[in-house]
mmCIF file of all heavy atoms in Angstrom:
data_model
loop_
_atom_site.group_PDB
_atom_site.id
_atom_site.type_symbol
_atom_site.label_atom_id
_atom_site.label_comp_id
_atom_site.label_asym_id
_atom_site.label_seq_id
_atom_site.Cartn_x
_atom_site.Cartn_y
_atom_site.Cartn_z
ATOM 1 N N GLN Q 88 0.863 -1.191 -0.005
ATOM 2 C CA GLN Q 88 -0.028 0.026 0.018
ATOM 3 C C GLN Q 88 0.893 1.219 0.038
ATOM 4 O O GLN Q 88 1.682 1.403 0.935
ATOM 5 C CB GLN Q 88 -0.946 0.047 1.206
ATOM 6 C CG GLN Q 88 -1.841 1.242 1.285
ATOM 7 C CD GLN Q 88 -2.858 1.271 0.193
ATOM 8 O OE1 GLN Q 88 -3.502 0.272 -0.100
ATOM 9 N NE2 GLN Q 88 -2.941 2.430 -0.410
ATOM 10 N N MET Q 89 0.762 2.061 -0.999
ATOM 11 C CA MET Q 89 1.578 3.222 -1.154
ATOM 12 C C MET Q 89 0.743 4.460 -1.032
ATOM 13 O O MET Q 89 -0.203 4.726 -1.837
ATOM 14 C CB MET Q 89 2.303 3.202 -2.543
ATOM 15 C CG MET Q 89 3.126 1.951 -2.770
ATOM 16 S SD MET Q 89 4.039 1.981 -4.372
ATOM 17 C CE MET Q 89 2.628 1.918 -5.456
ATOM 18 N N ASN Q 90 1.013 5.257 -0.055
ATOM 19 C CA ASN Q 90 0.302 6.507 0.253
ATOM 20 C C ASN Q 90 1.282 7.669 0.084
ATOM 21 O O ASN Q 90 2.481 7.509 0.143
ATOM 22 C CB ASN Q 90 -0.303 6.491 1.626
ATOM 23 C CG ASN Q 90 -1.360 5.414 1.783
ATOM 24 O OD1 ASN Q 90 -2.075 5.044 0.852
ATOM 25 N ND2 ASN Q 90 -1.450 4.899 2.996
ATOM 26 N N SER Q 91 0.727 8.861 -0.058
ATOM 27 C CA SER Q 91 1.489 10.054 -0.201
ATOM 28 C C SER Q 91 2.638 9.936 -1.222
ATOM 29 O O SER Q 91 3.811 10.232 -0.952
ATOM 30 C CB SER Q 91 2.092 10.454 1.169
ATOM 31 O OG SER Q 91 1.099 10.687 2.107
ATOM 32 N N LEU Q 92 2.247 9.414 -2.346
ATOM 33 C CA LEU Q 92 3.232 9.158 -3.401
ATOM 34 C C LEU Q 92 3.914 10.421 -3.900
ATOM 35 O O LEU Q 92 3.265 11.500 -3.947
ATOM 36 C CB LEU Q 92 2.552 8.409 -4.555
ATOM 37 C CG LEU Q 92 2.340 6.943 -4.327
ATOM 38 C CD1 LEU Q 92 1.259 6.416 -5.333
ATOM 39 C CD2 LEU Q 92 3.627 6.133 -4.434
ATOM 40 N N GLU Q 93 5.150 10.311 -4.164
ATOM 41 C CA GLU Q 93 6.001 11.383 -4.634
ATOM 42 C C GLU Q 93 6.539 11.083 -6.027
ATOM 43 O O GLU Q 93 6.594 9.936 -6.419
ATOM 44 C CB GLU Q 93 7.182 11.622 -3.703
ATOM 45 C CG GLU Q 93 6.752 11.866 -2.246
ATOM 46 C CD GLU Q 93 7.868 11.784 -1.253
ATOM 47 O OE1 GLU Q 93 9.017 11.448 -1.695
ATOM 48 O OE2 GLU Q 93 7.660 12.093 -0.079
ATOM 49 N N PHE Q 94 6.921 12.116 -6.768
ATOM 50 C CA PHE Q 94 7.520 11.892 -8.098
ATOM 51 C C PHE Q 94 8.640 10.958 -8.022
ATOM 52 O O PHE Q 94 8.833 10.139 -8.965
ATOM 53 C CB PHE Q 94 7.933 13.234 -8.687
ATOM 54 C CG PHE Q 94 8.605 13.102 -10.010
ATOM 55 C CD1 PHE Q 94 7.865 12.858 -11.162
ATOM 56 C CD2 PHE Q 94 9.978 13.208 -10.126
ATOM 57 C CE1 PHE Q 94 8.448 12.773 -12.368
ATOM 58 C CE2 PHE Q 94 10.606 13.097 -11.340
ATOM 59 C CZ PHE Q 94 9.819 12.858 -12.456
ATOM 60 N N GLU Q 95 9.428 11.006 -6.982
ATOM 61 C CA GLU Q 95 10.608 10.167 -6.888
ATOM 62 C C GLU Q 95 10.295 8.667 -6.645
ATOM 63 O O GLU Q 95 11.189 7.784 -6.741
ATOM 64 C CB GLU Q 95 11.499 10.647 -5.678
ATOM 65 C CG GLU Q 95 12.162 11.982 -5.952
ATOM 66 C CD GLU Q 95 11.240 13.173 -5.791
ATOM 67 O OE1 GLU Q 95 10.094 12.974 -5.191
ATOM 68 O OE2 GLU Q 95 11.549 14.243 -6.265
ATOM 69 N N ASP Q 96 8.981 8.362 -6.446
ATOM 70 C CA ASP Q 96 8.609 6.997 -6.298
ATOM 71 C C ASP Q 96 8.393 6.325 -7.697
ATOM 72 O O ASP Q 96 8.171 5.134 -7.758
ATOM 73 C CB ASP Q 96 7.299 6.866 -5.500
ATOM 74 C CG ASP Q 96 7.505 7.293 -4.063
ATOM 75 O OD1 ASP Q 96 8.487 6.936 -3.481
ATOM 76 O OD2 ASP Q 96 6.601 8.018 -3.551
ATOM 77 N N THR Q 97 8.427 7.096 -8.713
ATOM 78 C CA THR Q 97 8.255 6.566 -10.066
ATOM 79 C C THR Q 97 9.294 5.526 -10.406
ATOM 80 O O THR Q 97 10.532 5.790 -10.281
ATOM 81 C CB THR Q 97 8.316 7.694 -11.102
ATOM 82 O OG1 THR Q 97 7.200 8.601 -10.881
ATOM 83 C CG2 THR Q 97 8.239 7.133 -12.521
ATOM 84 N N ALA Q 98 8.852 4.332 -10.751
ATOM 85 C CA ALA Q 98 9.762 3.246 -11.033
ATOM 86 C C ALA Q 98 8.978 1.992 -11.433
ATOM 87 O O ALA Q 98 7.743 1.985 -11.351
ATOM 88 C CB ALA Q 98 10.576 2.894 -9.772
ATOM 89 N N VAL Q 99 9.659 0.982 -11.926
ATOM 90 C CA VAL Q 99 9.105 -0.294 -12.092
ATOM 91 C C VAL Q 99 9.243 -1.054 -10.781
ATOM 92 O O VAL Q 99 10.356 -1.177 -10.235
ATOM 93 C CB VAL Q 99 9.768 -1.084 -13.225
ATOM 94 C CG1 VAL Q 99 9.196 -2.504 -13.315
ATOM 95 C CG2 VAL Q 99 9.591 -0.396 -14.541
ATOM 96 N N TYR Q 100 8.158 -1.510 -10.247
ATOM 97 C CA TYR Q 100 8.157 -2.239 -8.975
ATOM 98 C C TYR Q 100 8.070 -3.695 -9.199
ATOM 99 O O TYR Q 100 7.219 -4.192 -9.902
ATOM 100 C CB TYR Q 100 6.991 -1.744 -8.134
ATOM 101 C CG TYR Q 100 7.219 -0.392 -7.494
ATOM 102 C CD1 TYR Q 100 7.194 0.751 -8.289
ATOM 103 C CD2 TYR Q 100 7.424 -0.262 -6.129
ATOM 104 C CE1 TYR Q 100 7.386 2.007 -7.731
ATOM 105 C CE2 TYR Q 100 7.600 0.976 -5.554
ATOM 106 C CZ TYR Q 100 7.620 2.093 -6.383
ATOM 107 O OH TYR Q 100 7.825 3.354 -5.801
ATOM 108 N N HIS Q 101 9.004 -4.428 -8.566
ATOM 109 C CA HIS Q 101 9.092 -5.845 -8.670
ATOM 110 C C HIS Q 101 8.806 -6.552 -7.409
ATOM 111 O O HIS Q 101 9.308 -6.118 -6.361
ATOM 112 C CB HIS Q 101 10.472 -6.327 -9.209
ATOM 113 C CG HIS Q 101 10.801 -5.890 -10.581
ATOM 114 N ND1 HIS Q 101 10.567 -6.681 -11.659
ATOM 115 C CD2 HIS Q 101 11.372 -4.740 -11.046
ATOM 116 C CE1 HIS Q 101 10.984 -6.039 -12.776
ATOM 117 N NE2 HIS Q 101 11.475 -4.849 -12.389
ATOM 118 N N CYS Q 102 8.059 -7.619 -7.430
ATOM 119 C CA CYS Q 102 7.972 -8.498 -6.282
ATOM 120 C C CYS Q 102 9.079 -9.546 -6.395
ATOM 121 O O CYS Q 102 9.416 -10.009 -7.492
ATOM 122 C CB CYS Q 102 6.581 -9.190 -6.334
ATOM 123 S SG CYS Q 102 6.307 -10.287 -4.920
ATOM 124 N N ALA Q 103 9.686 -9.849 -5.253
ATOM 125 C CA ALA Q 103 10.828 -10.815 -5.250
ATOM 126 C C ALA Q 103 10.791 -11.615 -4.012
ATOM 127 O O ALA Q 103 10.198 -11.265 -3.008
ATOM 128 C CB ALA Q 103 12.124 -9.993 -5.389
ATOM 129 N N ALA Q 104 11.532 -12.735 -4.057
ATOM 130 C CA ALA Q 104 11.586 -13.639 -2.913
ATOM 131 C C ALA Q 104 13.012 -14.204 -2.751
ATOM 132 O O ALA Q 104 13.694 -14.395 -3.710
ATOM 133 C CB ALA Q 104 10.568 -14.794 -3.133
ATOM 134 N N THR Q 105 13.339 -14.462 -1.508
ATOM 135 C CA THR Q 105 14.645 -15.027 -1.127
ATOM 136 C C THR Q 105 14.511 -15.824 0.154
ATOM 137 O O THR Q 105 13.626 -15.512 0.985
ATOM 138 C CB THR Q 105 15.687 -13.901 -1.010
ATOM 139 O OG1 THR Q 105 16.975 -14.471 -0.802
ATOM 140 C CG2 THR Q 105 15.380 -12.976 0.179
ATOM 141 N N PRO Q 106 15.309 -16.808 0.381
ATOM 142 C CA PRO Q 106 15.198 -17.615 1.608
ATOM 143 C C PRO Q 106 15.424 -16.793 2.919
ATOM 144 O O PRO Q 106 14.763 -17.081 3.914
ATOM 145 C CB PRO Q 106 16.312 -18.666 1.454
ATOM 146 C CG PRO Q 106 16.449 -18.763 -0.006
ATOM 147 C CD PRO Q 106 16.325 -17.421 -0.530
ATOM 148 N N LEU Q 107 16.292 -15.781 2.891
ATOM 149 C CA LEU Q 107 16.591 -14.986 4.084
ATOM 150 C C LEU Q 107 16.431 -13.517 3.811
ATOM 151 O O LEU Q 107 16.644 -13.090 2.656
ATOM 152 C CB LEU Q 107 18.020 -15.283 4.567
ATOM 153 C CG LEU Q 107 18.312 -16.752 5.009
ATOM 154 C CD1 LEU Q 107 19.796 -16.888 5.295
ATOM 155 C CD2 LEU Q 107 17.490 -17.053 6.230
ATOM 156 N N PRO Q 108 16.049 -12.738 4.809
ATOM 157 C CA PRO Q 108 15.868 -11.294 4.624
ATOM 158 C C PRO Q 108 17.150 -10.639 4.122
ATOM 159 O O PRO Q 108 18.243 -10.903 4.639
ATOM 160 C CB PRO Q 108 15.470 -10.776 5.994
ATOM 161 C CG PRO Q 108 14.900 -11.960 6.641
ATOM 162 C CD PRO Q 108 15.689 -13.162 6.161
ATOM 163 N N THR Q 109 17.034 -9.748 3.166
ATOM 164 C CA THR Q 109 18.126 -9.022 2.662
ATOM 165 C C THR Q 109 17.713 -7.716 1.980
ATOM 166 O O THR Q 109 16.659 -7.697 1.389
ATOM 167 C CB THR Q 109 19.002 -9.849 1.672
ATOM 168 O OG1 THR Q 109 20.127 -9.102 1.219
ATOM 169 C CG2 THR Q 109 18.169 -10.339 0.553
ATOM 170 N N TYR Q 110 18.577 -6.692 2.019
ATOM 171 C CA TYR Q 110 18.315 -5.504 1.289
ATOM 172 C C TYR Q 110 18.975 -5.498 -0.091
ATOM 173 O O TYR Q 110 18.716 -4.574 -0.891
ATOM 174 C CB TYR Q 110 18.813 -4.270 2.051
ATOM 175 C CG TYR Q 110 18.065 -3.951 3.319
ATOM 176 C CD1 TYR Q 110 18.739 -3.572 4.511
ATOM 177 C CD2 TYR Q 110 16.671 -4.050 3.417
ATOM 178 C CE1 TYR Q 110 18.068 -3.298 5.654
ATOM 179 C CE2 TYR Q 110 16.028 -3.761 4.521
ATOM 180 C CZ TYR Q 110 16.734 -3.394 5.687
ATOM 181 O OH TYR Q 110 16.028 -3.144 6.877
ATOM 182 N N SER Q 111 19.772 -6.478 -0.359
ATOM 183 C CA SER Q 111 20.565 -6.558 -1.587
ATOM 184 C C SER Q 111 19.750 -7.218 -2.700
ATOM 185 O O SER Q 111 19.324 -8.364 -2.592
ATOM 186 C CB SER Q 111 21.853 -7.321 -1.387
ATOM 187 O OG SER Q 111 22.659 -6.729 -0.405
ATOM 188 N N ALA Q 112 19.544 -6.442 -3.795
ATOM 189 C CA ALA Q 112 18.750 -6.922 -4.903
ATOM 190 C C ALA Q 112 19.328 -8.185 -5.515
ATOM 191 O O ALA Q 112 18.587 -9.035 -5.997
ATOM 192 C CB ALA Q 112 18.610 -5.860 -5.951
ATOM 193 N N ASP Q 113 20.643 -8.348 -5.526
ATOM 194 C CA ASP Q 113 21.254 -9.489 -6.189
ATOM 195 C C ASP Q 113 21.152 -10.769 -5.339
ATOM 196 O O ASP Q 113 21.652 -11.782 -5.849
ATOM 197 C CB ASP Q 113 22.729 -9.198 -6.524
ATOM 198 C CG ASP Q 113 23.586 -8.849 -5.291
ATOM 199 O OD1 ASP Q 113 23.067 -8.823 -4.165
ATOM 200 O OD2 ASP Q 113 24.805 -8.568 -5.502
ATOM 201 N N ARG Q 114 20.606 -10.695 -4.184
ATOM 202 C CA ARG Q 114 20.437 -11.901 -3.395
ATOM 203 C C ARG Q 114 19.060 -12.539 -3.549
ATOM 204 O O ARG Q 114 18.771 -13.626 -2.949
ATOM 205 C CB ARG Q 114 20.629 -11.606 -1.902
ATOM 206 C CG ARG Q 114 22.049 -11.041 -1.614
ATOM 207 C CD ARG Q 114 23.110 -12.066 -1.852
ATOM 208 N NE ARG Q 114 22.975 -13.279 -1.033
ATOM 209 C CZ ARG Q 114 23.497 -13.416 0.178
ATOM 210 N NH1 ARG Q 114 24.293 -12.491 0.695
ATOM 211 N NH2 ARG Q 114 23.323 -14.511 0.866
ATOM 212 N N TYR Q 115 18.176 -11.904 -4.306
ATOM 213 C CA TYR Q 115 16.855 -12.483 -4.501
ATOM 214 C C TYR Q 115 16.859 -13.492 -5.606
ATOM 215 O O TYR Q 115 17.422 -13.365 -6.654
ATOM 216 C CB TYR Q 115 15.856 -11.347 -4.791
ATOM 217 C CG TYR Q 115 15.516 -10.553 -3.550
ATOM 218 C CD1 TYR Q 115 16.359 -9.568 -3.102
ATOM 219 C CD2 TYR Q 115 14.359 -10.874 -2.822
ATOM 220 C CE1 TYR Q 115 16.037 -8.847 -1.968
ATOM 221 C CE2 TYR Q 115 14.060 -10.186 -1.672
ATOM 222 C CZ TYR Q 115 14.912 -9.149 -1.245
ATOM 223 O OH TYR Q 115 14.622 -8.495 -0.075
ATOM 224 N N ASN Q 116 16.172 -14.664 -5.320
ATOM 225 C CA ASN Q 116 16.163 -15.770 -6.180
ATOM 226 C C ASN Q 116 15.053 -15.714 -7.235
ATOM 227 O O ASN Q 116 15.270 -16.227 -8.344
ATOM 228 C CB ASN Q 116 15.977 -17.050 -5.372
ATOM 229 C CG ASN Q 116 17.048 -17.235 -4.295
ATOM 230 O OD1 ASN Q 116 16.858 -16.820 -3.155
ATOM 231 N ND2 ASN Q 116 18.189 -17.826 -4.721
ATOM 232 N N TYR Q 117 13.909 -15.161 -6.866
ATOM 233 C CA TYR Q 117 12.783 -15.211 -7.750
ATOM 234 C C TYR Q 117 12.251 -13.775 -7.944
ATOM 235 O O TYR Q 117 12.222 -12.970 -6.988
ATOM 236 C CB TYR Q 117 11.687 -16.087 -7.204
ATOM 237 C CG TYR Q 117 12.167 -17.511 -7.016
ATOM 238 C CD1 TYR Q 117 12.517 -17.927 -5.706
ATOM 239 C CD2 TYR Q 117 12.272 -18.403 -8.051
ATOM 240 C CE1 TYR Q 117 12.976 -19.200 -5.522
ATOM 241 C CE2 TYR Q 117 12.734 -19.679 -7.866
ATOM 242 C CZ TYR Q 117 13.057 -20.106 -6.611
ATOM 243 O OH TYR Q 117 13.534 -21.398 -6.400
ATOM 244 N N TRP Q 118 11.750 -13.504 -9.114
ATOM 245 C CA TRP Q 118 11.274 -12.135 -9.474
ATOM 246 C C TRP Q 118 9.981 -12.195 -10.255
ATOM 247 O O TRP Q 118 9.816 -13.076 -11.112
ATOM 248 C CB TRP Q 118 12.349 -11.380 -10.304
ATOM 249 C CG TRP Q 118 13.579 -11.113 -9.615
ATOM 250 C CD1 TRP Q 118 14.630 -11.915 -9.459
ATOM 251 C CD2 TRP Q 118 13.900 -9.865 -8.896
ATOM 252 N NE1 TRP Q 118 15.640 -11.282 -8.700
ATOM 253 C CE2 TRP Q 118 15.202 -10.040 -8.370
ATOM 254 C CE3 TRP Q 118 13.267 -8.666 -8.741
ATOM 255 C CZ2 TRP Q 118 15.830 -9.036 -7.669
ATOM 256 C CZ3 TRP Q 118 13.842 -7.645 -8.032
ATOM 257 C CH2 TRP Q 118 15.171 -7.896 -7.524
ATOM 258 N N GLY Q 119 9.168 -11.290 -10.011
ATOM 259 C CA GLY Q 119 7.977 -11.063 -10.850
ATOM 260 C C GLY Q 119 8.347 -10.233 -12.083
ATOM 261 O O GLY Q 119 9.480 -9.793 -12.207
ATOM 262 N N GLN Q 120 7.395 -10.037 -12.939
ATOM 263 C CA GLN Q 120 7.687 -9.330 -14.216
ATOM 264 C C GLN Q 120 7.800 -7.855 -14.055
ATOM 265 O O GLN Q 120 8.337 -7.158 -14.943
ATOM 266 C CB GLN Q 120 6.576 -9.685 -15.274
ATOM 267 C CG GLN Q 120 5.281 -8.869 -15.174
ATOM 268 C CD GLN Q 120 4.369 -9.263 -13.990
ATOM 269 O OE1 GLN Q 120 4.677 -10.210 -13.306
ATOM 270 N NE2 GLN Q 120 3.313 -8.470 -13.809
ATOM 271 N N GLY Q 121 7.288 -7.326 -12.992
ATOM 272 C CA GLY Q 121 7.292 -5.901 -12.696
ATOM 273 C C GLY Q 121 6.049 -5.169 -13.103
ATOM 274 O O GLY Q 121 5.316 -5.566 -14.012
ATOM 275 N N THR Q 122 5.721 -4.152 -12.393
ATOM 276 C CA THR Q 122 4.586 -3.294 -12.686
ATOM 277 C C THR Q 122 5.005 -1.836 -12.589
ATOM 278 O O THR Q 122 5.669 -1.425 -11.645
ATOM 279 C CB THR Q 122 3.365 -3.634 -11.781
ATOM 280 O OG1 THR Q 122 2.207 -2.887 -12.189
ATOM 281 C CG2 THR Q 122 3.653 -3.312 -10.330
#
């Protein structure tokens, strides 16, 4: 849920999954197509 959206929020948003929590994008194993 995204509220108070700002211009800087403009992007392709991807859902992703990984076995352990991480902030690093390259550690995610599975990705959606993006929206």
